[in-house]
């Protein structure tokens, strides 16, 4: 087994509960989560991990109080503007998945700008899942395949996993070997349902703003002790 995952996906969860613990509004937790984003991105890049994908805002998160949604969207704009220099210094390329055109226009343009300004970086790709829903992504892929069939670009017999994957938002990105979720919740919450088919899952009770470099290392070490069998028997692997 490759000792280092090529791709780590994280569900950054527990900002609200972290803030509550300190008697502060939920938004305080989101603001403090940015440090954990910076630290995990830098640590992954230093380790030589090629892809880090962070769940930043789900399609379902629009159902939160308007005040919180607005705060998250403006935090996104501020963070993208503040971090672009650090991303370039660290040679990290920004990417995004999800139904991006439905983001508020300020967030969308800040995102596009940051993607543009970091597009030549090569050490690691940091993908933000924004207005992301895995079911939406899959349905959208099916829709686009349908359109390409109607346009005569492909025929249905050509559809296999390789072709299907090119229609997903994550086209070109290898599946995550490791998924980390913080805050003690043990669910996938509509994240990368197709891509996580054989990922190792790691759950920690830490709230996202408390997640540090050492905690990332702990998750990777745990992953390194797993036996990834992909349907085979243990004996077949040796
Ligand atoms: C994760 O923290 C951040 C987002 C979903 C945007 P939460 O805001 O979900 O925090 P909890 O789960 O309520 O503690
Ligand atoms: C998942 O967290 C989405 C993000 C981390 C952006 P949620 O806090 O929204 O998930 P549920 O509602 O607990 O499943
Ligand atoms: Mg949550």
């Amino acid at each position: 087994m490759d000792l280092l995952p090529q791709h780590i996906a994280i569900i950054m969860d527990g900002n609200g509960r972290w803030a509550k613990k300190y008697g502060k509004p939920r938004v305080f937790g989101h603001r403090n989560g940015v440090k954990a984003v910076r630290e995990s991105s830098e640590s992954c890049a230093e380790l030589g991990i090629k892809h880090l994908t962070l769940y930043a805002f789900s399609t379902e998160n629009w159902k939160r109080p308007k005040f919180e949604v607005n705060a998250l969207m403006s935090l996104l704009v501020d963070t993208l503007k503040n971090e672009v220099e650090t991303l370039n210094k660290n040679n990290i390329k920004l990417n995004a998945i999800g139904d991006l055109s439905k983001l508020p226009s300020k967030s969308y343009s800040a995102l596009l700008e940051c993607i543009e300004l970091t597009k030549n970086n090569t050490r690691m790709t940091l993908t933000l899942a924004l207005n992301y829903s895995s079911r939406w992504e899959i349905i959208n892929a099916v829709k686009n395949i349908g359109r390409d069939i109607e346009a005569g670009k492909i025929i249905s017999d050509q559809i296999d996993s390789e072709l299907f994957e090119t229609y997903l938002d994550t086209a070109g990105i290898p599946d995550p070997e490791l998924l980390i979720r913080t805050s003690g919740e043990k669910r996938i919450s509509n994240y990368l349902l197709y891509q996580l088919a054989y990922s190792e899952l790691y759950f920690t009770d830490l709230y996202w703003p408390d997640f540090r470099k050492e905690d990332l290392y702990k998750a990777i070490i745990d992953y390194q002790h797993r036996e990834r069998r992909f349907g085979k028997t243990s004996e077949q692997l040796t």
Side-chain angles (χ1 to χ4, degrees), residues 11-18 26 30 55-58 61 64 68 72 181 183 185 187 207-208:
I11 302 177
M12 312 184 286
D13 199 10
N15 294 353
R17 280 164 283 166
W18 184 88
R26 296 177 55 82
H30 297 315
Y55 207 177
F57 193 87
S58 76
N61 288 147
R64 292 189 179 197
E68 183 173 345
L72 279 166
R181 183 170 188 149
S183 90
E185 306 299 352
R187 55 177 169 264
Y207 293 142
W208 178 247

Side-chain angles (χ1 to χ4, degrees), residues 84-203:
V84 68
E85 215 175 297
T86 315
L87 289 172
N88 280 330
K89 198 183 78 203
N90 289 321
N91 196 9
I92 299 173
K93 176 171 155 171
L94 189 79
N95 177 42
I97 56 172
D99 194 357
L100 305 175
S101 63
K102 302 231 170 66
L103 292 171
S105 62
K106 260 193 184 170
S107 313
Y108 186 52
S109 52
L111 181 67
L112 292 188
E113 194 184 336
C114 194
I115 290 174
E116 176 63 26
L117 292 170
T118 61
K119 70 173 182 209
N120 295 321
N121 296 338
T122 53
R123 189 153 70 137
M124 186 183 85
T125 301
L126 170 64
T127 300
L128 297 181
L130 283 164
N131 189 20
Y132 178 84
S133 143
S134 192
R135 287 185 174 177
W136 168 84
E137 180 191 33
I138 292 169
I139 290 166
N140 199 45
V142 172
K143 221 184 264 177
N144 287 327
I145 289 173
R147 287 194 184 119
D148 282 354
I149 293 175
E150 282 162 10
K153 290 187 193 160
I154 54 169
I155 57 164
S156 57
D157 272 350
Q158 270 175 281
I159 302 170
D160 55 11
S161 56
E162 206 182 316
L163 182 92
F164 185 75
E165 285 160 21
T166 66
Y167 284 85
L168 293 172
D169 280 24
T170 52
I173 301 176
D175 290 341
E177 294 94 333
L178 172 63
L179 170 82
I180 299 170
R181 183 170 188 149
T182 58
S183 90
E185 306 299 352
K186 295 179 183 67
R187 55 177 169 264
I188 302 296
S189 303
N190 211 352
Y191 193 41
L192 302 172
L193 299 178
Y194 182 93
Q195 298 86 340
L196 292 173
Y198 266 107
S199 307
E200 296 298 328
L201 310 181
Y202 180 88
F203 300 102

